[in-house]
Amino acid sequence: MRLYCGIDLHSNNNYTVVQDEQDQVLYRKRLPNELGPIVAGLRRFQEELVGVVVESTYNWYWLVDGLMERGHRVHLAHTAAIEQYSGLKYSDDFSDAEWLARMLRLGVLPEGYIYPQQQRPLRDLLRHRLWLVRDRTRHLLHVGNILTRHTGGRFSRRGIEKLTAPEVEQIFSDQERPLAVGTSLAVLSLLTEKIGAIEKQVKSRVKLDRSFHLLETVYGIGEILAMTIWLETGDIGRFPPVGNYASYCRCVGSRRMSNDKKKGENNHRNGNQYLAWAYVEAAHQAARHYPQPHRYVEKKTAQRNHALALKALAHKLARACYYVLRDQVPFEPERLFGS
Protein backbone atom coordinates (compact mmCIF):
# COMPACT_ATOMS: atom_id res chain seq x y z
CA MET A 1 0.00 0.00 0.00
CA ARG A 2 1.26 3.48 -0.92
CA LEU A 3 0.50 6.18 1.64
CA TYR A 4 0.86 9.95 1.52
CA CYS A 5 1.23 12.42 4.38
CA GLY A 6 0.47 16.13 4.50
CA ILE A 7 1.38 18.41 7.41
CA ASP A 8 -0.30 21.80 7.67
CA LEU A 9 2.27 23.68 9.80
CA HIS A 10 1.43 26.65 12.02
CA SER A 11 3.39 28.71 14.54
CA ASN A 12 2.50 26.60 17.59
CA ASN A 13 0.87 23.42 16.25
CA ASN A 14 0.34 21.38 13.11
CA TYR A 15 -2.35 19.22 11.54
CA THR A 16 -1.05 15.89 10.23
CA VAL A 17 -2.98 13.68 7.78
CA VAL A 18 -2.08 10.30 6.28
CA GLN A 19 -4.17 8.92 3.41
CA ASP A 20 -4.01 6.09 0.88
CA GLU A 21 -4.17 6.01 -2.94
CA GLN A 22 -7.97 6.41 -2.85
CA ASP A 23 -7.64 9.49 -0.61
CA GLN A 24 -9.09 7.56 2.31
CA VAL A 25 -7.84 9.14 5.51
CA LEU A 26 -6.07 6.67 7.79
CA TYR A 27 -4.74 9.15 10.34
CA ARG A 28 -5.57 12.75 11.22
CA LYS A 29 -4.56 14.67 14.28
CA ARG A 30 -3.63 18.13 15.51
CA LEU A 31 -0.25 17.90 17.21
CA PRO A 32 2.03 20.30 19.10
CA ASN A 33 5.11 21.56 17.30
CA GLU A 34 7.32 18.93 18.86
CA LEU A 35 9.19 16.33 16.84
CA GLY A 36 8.45 13.44 19.22
CA PRO A 37 4.64 13.30 18.84
CA ILE A 38 4.83 13.77 15.06
CA VAL A 39 7.37 10.97 14.60
CA ALA A 40 5.38 8.71 16.94
CA GLY A 41 2.18 9.34 14.96
CA LEU A 42 3.86 8.44 11.65
CA ARG A 43 5.86 5.46 12.93
CA ARG A 44 3.36 2.73 11.99
CA PHE A 45 3.00 4.15 8.46
CA GLN A 46 6.67 4.85 7.73
CA GLU A 47 7.42 1.85 5.51
CA GLU A 48 4.43 2.54 3.24
CA LEU A 49 4.81 6.32 3.14
CA VAL A 50 5.76 7.59 -0.31
CA GLY A 51 6.55 10.97 1.19
CA VAL A 52 5.72 13.61 3.79
CA VAL A 53 4.72 17.06 2.56
CA VAL A 54 5.50 20.01 4.84
CA GLU A 55 4.39 23.57 4.15
CA SER A 56 7.24 25.99 3.46
CA THR A 57 6.37 28.31 6.33
CA TYR A 58 8.86 30.51 8.18
CA ASN A 59 9.44 27.80 10.81
CA TRP A 60 9.97 24.61 8.77
CA TYR A 61 13.67 23.94 9.52
CA TRP A 62 13.22 21.88 12.70
CA LEU A 63 10.47 19.68 11.27
CA VAL A 64 11.97 18.96 7.84
CA ASP A 65 15.45 18.29 9.26
CA GLY A 66 14.08 16.10 12.04
CA LEU A 67 11.93 13.98 9.72
CA MET A 68 14.76 13.54 7.22
CA GLU A 69 17.14 12.46 9.98
CA ARG A 70 14.61 9.74 10.90
CA GLY A 71 14.45 8.35 7.38
CA HIS A 72 11.34 10.05 6.00
CA ARG A 73 11.19 11.27 2.39
CA VAL A 74 10.25 14.90 2.88
CA HIS A 75 8.84 17.30 0.29
CA LEU A 76 8.75 21.05 0.98
CA ALA A 77 5.54 22.51 -0.45
CA HIS A 78 5.92 25.83 -2.26
CA THR A 79 3.02 27.60 -0.56
CA ALA A 80 2.97 30.61 -2.92
CA ALA A 81 2.31 28.26 -5.85
CA ILE A 82 -0.42 26.20 -4.15
CA GLU A 83 -4.06 27.10 -4.42
CA GLN A 84 -7.04 24.91 -3.67
CA TYR A 85 -10.12 24.96 -5.85
CA SER A 86 -11.48 28.49 -5.41
CA GLY A 87 -15.08 27.25 -5.45
CA LEU A 88 -14.71 25.47 -2.12
CA LYS A 89 -17.32 26.67 0.34
CA TYR A 90 -15.41 25.62 3.44
CA SER A 91 -11.80 24.74 4.18
CA ASP A 92 -9.83 24.21 7.37
CA ASP A 93 -6.54 22.79 8.59
CA PHE A 94 -7.69 19.22 7.87
CA SER A 95 -8.60 20.01 4.25
CA ASP A 96 -5.31 21.90 3.80
CA ALA A 97 -3.23 18.95 5.04
CA GLU A 98 -5.31 16.54 2.96
CA TRP A 99 -4.76 18.69 -0.13
CA LEU A 100 -0.98 18.60 0.37
CA ALA A 101 -1.02 14.80 0.51
CA ARG A 102 -3.31 14.60 -2.54
CA MET A 103 -1.06 16.80 -4.67
CA LEU A 104 1.87 14.52 -3.82
CA ARG A 105 -0.18 11.50 -4.91
CA LEU A 106 -1.18 13.18 -8.17
CA GLY A 107 2.39 14.27 -8.90
CA VAL A 108 1.45 17.96 -9.16
CA LEU A 109 3.00 19.25 -5.92
CA PRO A 110 4.91 22.55 -6.44
CA GLU A 111 8.05 21.93 -4.40
CA GLY A 112 10.41 24.30 -2.67
CA TYR A 113 14.13 23.69 -2.39
CA ILE A 114 15.38 22.09 0.81
CA TYR A 115 18.65 23.92 1.21
CA PRO A 116 21.49 21.69 2.53
CA GLN A 117 21.47 21.82 6.31
CA GLN A 118 25.27 22.16 6.59
CA GLN A 119 25.43 25.40 4.56
CA ARG A 120 22.22 26.94 5.90
CA PRO A 121 23.84 28.74 8.90
CA LEU A 122 26.29 30.62 6.65
CA ARG A 123 23.57 31.60 4.19
CA ASP A 124 21.32 32.79 7.02
CA LEU A 125 24.19 34.74 8.60
CA LEU A 126 24.69 36.64 5.33
CA ARG A 127 20.96 37.30 5.25
CA HIS A 128 21.24 38.77 8.74
CA ARG A 129 24.09 40.97 7.51
CA LEU A 130 21.78 42.39 4.85
CA TRP A 131 19.18 43.36 7.45
CA LEU A 132 21.88 45.15 9.46
CA VAL A 133 23.12 46.94 6.32
CA ARG A 134 19.58 48.15 5.64
CA ASP A 135 19.29 49.41 9.23
CA ARG A 136 22.60 51.23 8.87
CA THR A 137 21.40 52.86 5.65
CA ARG A 138 18.20 54.03 7.35
CA HIS A 139 20.19 55.66 10.16
CA LEU A 140 22.56 57.31 7.67
CA LEU A 141 19.66 58.76 5.71
CA HIS A 142 17.94 59.91 8.89
CA VAL A 143 21.02 61.73 10.19
CA GLY A 144 21.69 63.20 6.76
CA ASN A 145 18.14 64.53 6.56
CA ILE A 146 18.42 66.19 9.98
CA LEU A 147 21.71 67.84 9.08
CA THR A 148 20.51 69.02 5.67
CA ARG A 149 17.25 70.33 7.09
CA HIS A 150 19.02 72.55 9.62
CA THR A 151 22.22 73.50 7.77
CA GLY A 152 21.26 73.45 4.09
CA GLY A 153 24.40 71.44 3.29
CA ARG A 154 24.82 67.89 2.06
CA PHE A 155 26.83 65.33 3.99
CA SER A 156 28.43 62.21 2.55
CA ARG A 157 28.29 58.84 4.27
CA ARG A 158 31.91 59.13 5.38
CA GLY A 159 31.35 62.68 6.55
CA ILE A 160 28.43 61.59 8.73
CA GLU A 161 30.31 58.62 10.21
CA LYS A 162 33.29 60.84 11.13
CA LEU A 163 31.20 63.37 13.05
CA THR A 164 32.19 63.71 16.71
CA ALA A 165 29.96 64.76 19.62
CA PRO A 166 31.57 68.25 19.91
CA GLU A 167 31.08 68.82 16.16
CA VAL A 168 27.42 67.85 16.40
CA GLU A 169 26.90 70.19 19.34
CA GLN A 170 28.44 73.07 17.37
CA ILE A 171 25.97 72.52 14.51
CA PHE A 172 22.86 72.92 16.69
CA SER A 173 21.96 75.54 19.27
CA ASP A 174 19.66 73.27 21.31
CA GLN A 175 20.24 70.10 23.32
CA GLU A 176 17.59 67.87 21.74
CA ARG A 177 18.86 67.52 18.18
CA PRO A 178 22.46 66.68 19.18
CA LEU A 179 21.02 63.89 21.32
CA ALA A 180 19.01 62.54 18.37
CA VAL A 181 21.99 62.70 15.99
CA GLY A 182 24.39 61.32 18.60
CA THR A 183 22.11 58.37 19.30
CA SER A 184 21.96 57.45 15.62
CA LEU A 185 25.75 57.87 15.26
CA ALA A 186 26.26 55.45 18.17
CA VAL A 187 23.92 52.93 16.53
CA LEU A 188 25.77 53.41 13.21
CA SER A 189 29.10 52.67 14.86
CA LEU A 190 27.73 49.51 16.48
CA LEU A 191 26.10 48.32 13.27
CA THR A 192 29.32 48.84 11.30
CA GLU A 193 31.24 46.86 13.91
CA LYS A 194 28.77 43.95 13.85
CA ILE A 195 28.56 43.89 10.05
CA GLY A 196 32.35 43.61 9.94
CA ALA A 197 32.28 40.76 12.46
CA ILE A 198 29.72 38.86 10.37
CA GLU A 199 31.78 39.31 7.19
CA LYS A 200 34.88 38.05 9.00
CA GLN A 201 33.01 34.98 10.29
CA VAL A 202 31.56 34.10 6.89
CA LYS A 203 34.93 34.47 5.14
CA SER A 204 36.61 32.23 7.71
CA ARG A 205 33.96 29.50 7.56
CA VAL A 206 32.86 29.31 3.95
CA LYS A 207 34.85 26.93 1.75
CA LEU A 208 35.23 28.85 -1.48
CA ASP A 209 35.40 26.85 -4.69
CA ARG A 210 35.87 27.72 -8.36
CA SER A 211 32.24 28.87 -8.70
CA PHE A 212 32.75 31.69 -6.21
CA HIS A 213 35.87 33.02 -7.93
CA LEU A 214 34.17 32.85 -11.32
CA LEU A 215 31.29 34.97 -10.01
CA GLU A 216 33.80 37.67 -9.07
CA THR A 217 34.64 38.07 -12.78
CA VAL A 218 31.10 39.37 -13.47
CA TYR A 219 30.72 43.15 -13.71
CA GLY A 220 29.58 44.71 -10.43
CA ILE A 221 30.06 41.59 -8.28
CA GLY A 222 32.59 41.79 -5.49
CA GLU A 223 33.40 39.44 -2.63
CA ILE A 224 30.25 39.90 -0.52
CA LEU A 225 27.85 39.83 -3.50
CA ALA A 226 29.62 36.76 -4.88
CA MET A 227 29.18 34.98 -1.54
CA THR A 228 25.53 36.00 -1.38
CA ILE A 229 24.75 34.83 -4.92
CA TRP A 230 26.72 31.62 -4.48
CA LEU A 231 25.10 30.67 -1.17
CA GLU A 232 21.56 31.75 -2.13
CA THR A 233 21.65 29.95 -5.49
CA GLY A 234 22.82 26.62 -4.14
CA ASP A 235 22.88 23.87 -6.75
CA ILE A 236 22.53 25.59 -10.13
CA GLY A 237 21.38 22.27 -11.59
CA ARG A 238 17.96 22.76 -10.01
CA PHE A 239 17.25 25.44 -12.65
CA PRO A 240 17.27 23.57 -16.00
CA PRO A 241 16.49 26.62 -18.21
CA VAL A 242 18.02 30.02 -17.57
CA GLY A 243 14.55 31.60 -17.50
CA ASN A 244 13.69 29.66 -14.34
CA TYR A 245 16.74 31.09 -12.60
CA ALA A 246 15.96 34.65 -13.73
CA SER A 247 12.40 34.21 -12.44
CA TYR A 248 13.70 32.87 -9.11
CA CYS A 249 15.84 36.03 -8.84
CA ARG A 250 12.69 38.15 -9.36
CA CYS A 251 14.12 39.55 -12.59
CA VAL A 252 11.11 38.56 -14.71
CA GLY A 253 7.93 40.60 -14.99
CA SER A 254 4.81 39.26 -13.30
CA ARG A 255 1.82 39.22 -15.59
CA ARG A 256 -1.02 36.97 -16.72
CA MET A 257 -1.61 36.92 -20.49
CA SER A 258 -4.45 35.59 -22.64
CA ASN A 259 -4.85 36.04 -26.41
CA ASP A 260 -1.81 38.38 -26.38
CA LYS A 261 -3.54 40.64 -23.86
CA LYS A 262 -2.62 41.32 -20.26
CA LYS A 263 -5.33 39.94 -17.99
CA GLY A 264 -3.81 40.66 -14.61
CA GLU A 265 -0.81 40.21 -12.32
CA ASN A 266 0.60 37.08 -10.76
CA ASN A 267 2.62 36.96 -7.53
CA HIS A 268 5.49 39.39 -8.20
CA ARG A 269 7.07 38.47 -4.84
CA ASN A 270 7.50 34.86 -5.90
CA GLY A 271 11.22 34.12 -5.81
CA ASN A 272 14.29 34.85 -3.71
CA GLN A 273 14.34 38.40 -2.32
CA TYR A 274 18.03 38.16 -1.41
CA LEU A 275 19.11 37.26 -4.95
CA ALA A 276 16.85 40.03 -6.24
CA TRP A 277 18.68 42.52 -3.99
CA ALA A 278 22.11 41.12 -4.92
CA TYR A 279 21.60 41.50 -8.66
CA VAL A 280 20.14 45.01 -8.40
CA GLU A 281 23.12 45.98 -6.24
CA ALA A 282 25.45 44.42 -8.81
CA ALA A 283 23.67 46.42 -11.52
CA HIS A 284 24.27 49.64 -9.55
CA GLN A 285 27.97 48.88 -9.23
CA ALA A 286 28.36 47.74 -12.84
CA ALA A 287 26.69 50.87 -14.22
CA ARG A 288 28.95 53.07 -12.06
CA HIS A 289 32.28 51.45 -12.89
CA TYR A 290 32.05 49.89 -16.37
CA PRO A 291 31.32 51.68 -19.67
CA GLN A 292 29.24 48.96 -21.36
CA PRO A 293 26.62 48.57 -18.60
CA HIS A 294 26.67 52.35 -18.09
CA ARG A 295 25.70 52.91 -21.73
CA TYR A 296 23.08 50.17 -21.48
CA VAL A 297 21.43 51.79 -18.44
CA GLU A 298 21.50 55.22 -20.09
CA LYS A 299 19.78 53.82 -23.19
CA LYS A 300 17.11 52.02 -21.14
CA THR A 301 16.57 55.05 -18.91
CA ALA A 302 15.81 57.17 -21.98
CA GLN A 303 13.22 54.58 -23.07
CA ARG A 304 11.50 54.04 -19.70
CA ASN A 305 13.01 55.15 -16.37
CA HIS A 306 16.15 54.59 -14.30
CA ALA A 307 14.65 52.00 -11.92
CA LEU A 308 13.46 49.80 -14.78
CA ALA A 309 16.79 50.27 -16.54
CA LEU A 310 18.68 48.94 -13.49
CA LYS A 311 16.22 46.05 -13.22
CA ALA A 312 16.84 45.20 -16.89
CA LEU A 313 20.60 45.20 -16.26
CA ALA A 314 20.09 43.03 -13.16
CA HIS A 315 18.21 40.57 -15.37
CA LYS A 316 21.12 40.41 -17.81
CA LEU A 317 23.62 39.90 -14.98
CA ALA A 318 21.49 37.12 -13.46
CA ARG A 319 21.41 35.30 -16.80
CA ALA A 320 25.17 35.76 -17.17
CA CYS A 321 25.79 34.34 -13.68
CA TYR A 322 23.62 31.34 -14.51
CA TYR A 323 25.90 30.36 -17.39
CA VAL A 324 29.03 31.19 -15.39
CA LEU A 325 27.90 28.79 -12.65
CA ARG A 326 26.48 26.12 -14.94
CA ASP A 327 29.37 25.95 -17.41
CA GLN A 328 32.11 26.92 -14.92
CA VAL A 329 33.54 29.59 -17.23
CA PRO A 330 34.62 33.21 -16.59
CA PHE A 331 32.32 36.08 -17.45
CA GLU A 332 32.51 37.20 -21.10
CA PRO A 333 31.14 40.78 -21.33
CA GLU A 334 31.05 40.79 -25.13
CA ARG A 335 28.47 38.01 -25.06
CA LEU A 336 26.26 40.09 -22.78
CA PHE A 337 26.68 43.54 -24.30
CA GLY A 338 28.07 42.84 -27.75
CA SER A 339 31.49 43.78 -29.09
Side-chain angles (χ1 to χ4, degrees):
M1 182 184 298
R2 294 165 64 86
L3 304 180
Y4 306 85
C5 174
I7 300 180
D8 185 32
L9 182 60
H10 302 289
S11 61
N12 59 351
N13 66 77
N14 65 90
Y15 204 101
T16 301
V17 168
V18 177
Q19 56 194 43
D20 62 17
E21 293 178 286
Q22 286 73 45
D23 294 332
Q24 296 297 313
V25 176
L26 307 179
Y27 175 82
R28 52 180 288 186
K29 193 170 184 179
R30 187 180 298 278
L31 297 168
N33 278 352
E34 300 171 10
L35 195 60
I38 299 171
V39 171
L42 298 180
R43 185 171 293 123
R44 59 192 172 104
F45 306 108
Q46 185 163 355
E47 291 186 5
E48 289 80 25
L49 274 174
V50 172
V52 178
V53 183
V54 177
E55 275 191 305
S56 179
T57 52
Y58 75 96
N59 59 332
W60 62 263
Y61 284 8
W62 67 275
L63 180 54
V64 168
D65 293 341
L67 290 173
M68 291 177 70
E69 288 170 1
R70 285 157 180 78
H72 286 281
R73 293 176 290 277
V74 182
H75 303 264
L76 191 63
H78 183 5
T79 51
I82 294 174
E83 183 178 356
Q84 289 198 57
Y85 171 52
S86 58
L88 286 177
K89 192 170 185 179
Y90 178 81
S91 65
D92 56 11
D93 295 340
F94 165 63
S95 64
D96 290 344
E98 188 183 30
W99 179 240
L100 292 173
R102 186 176 303 166
M103 282 192 294
L104 179 63
R105 178 182 67 81
L106 294 173
V108 295
L109 177 71
E111 293 196 42
Y113 179 57
I114 300 177
Y115 198 90
Q117 186 178 359
Q118 297 76 13
Q119 285 186 297
R120 211 180 293 153
L122 284 173
R123 183 201 63 175
D124 291 353
L125 186 59
L126 265 183
R127 288 181 174 183
H128 187 64
R129 174 196 172 275
L130 175 57
W131 288 108
L132 296 183
V133 168
R134 288 173 174 170
D135 282 341
R136 184 174 65 180
T137 301
R138 281 193 287 269
H139 280 280
L140 279 168
L141 292 174
H142 179 63
V143 172
N145 287 339
I146 293 176
L147 294 171
T148 299
R149 187 162 57 243
H150 294 282
T151 68
R154 294 180 63 86
F155 293 78
S156 67
R157 169 191 163 184
R158 290 185 179 180
I160 292 173
E161 290 178 330
K162 289 180 179 179
L163 281 174
T164 63
E167 290 173 337
V168 173
E169 290 175 357
Q170 287 179 1
I171 294 174
F172 303 103
S173 59
D174 57 82
Q175 297 180 347
E176 287 73 27
R177 283 172 292 188
L179 178 60
V181 172
T183 302
S184 286
L185 289 176
V187 174
L188 276 171
S189 178
L190 180 61
L191 286 171
T192 300
E193 176 189 341
K194 298 306 178 184
I195 290 168
I198 288 175
E199 291 174 355
K200 182 179 179 180
Q201 175 74 359
V202 172
K203 291 174 187 177
S204 68
R205 291 293 303 276
V206 69
K207 295 181 180 179
L208 303 178
D209 65 8
R210 177 175 167 80
S211 298
F212 167 79
H213 296 294
L214 289 172
L215 282 172
E216 288 189 299
T217 66
V218 180
Y219 284 171
I221 296 180
E223 190 175 46
I224 294 299
L225 285 181
M227 284 185 184
T228 301
I229 292 169
W230 183 49
L231 287 170
E232 291 292 341
T233 299
D235 180 14
I236 195 66
R238 64 194 179 103
F239 305 101
V242 64
N244 283 11
Y245 181 66
S247 176
Y248 182 65
C249 299
R250 295 187 181 180
C251 293
V252 176
S254 173
R255 63 184 66 181
R256 186 164 57 251
M257 305 293 292
S258 178
N259 195 26
D260 293 330
K261 296 179 181 178
K262 185 177 178 180
K263 298 295 184 180
E265 295 279 349
N266 290 318
N267 184 2
H268 70 279
R269 293 180 179 272
N270 201 354
N272 187 308
Q273 62 173 313
Y274 302 97
L275 281 173
W277 166 82
Y279 282 118
V280 170
E281 185 66 22
H284 273 286
Q285 298 301 322
R288 285 181 60 189
H289 299 291
Y290 297 93
Q292 292 161 303
H294 179 75
R295 288 193 296 268
Y296 177 83
V297 168
E298 281 191 330
K299 177 183 175 182
K300 289 292 182 181
T301 300
Q303 294 172 350
R304 301 290 294 276
N305 61 61
H306 188 65
L308 287 177
L310 284 174
K311 195 68 176 178
L313 179 57
H315 185 190
K316 290 176 77 71
L317 292 175
R319 295 176 72 91
C321 287
Y322 172 85
Y323 291 113
V324 165
L325 291 170
R326 190 195 69 176
D327 301 335
Q328 292 292 286
V329 295
F331 174 59
E332 300 177 38
E334 62 276 4
R335 299 188 66 175
L336 193 64
F337 299 103
S339 55

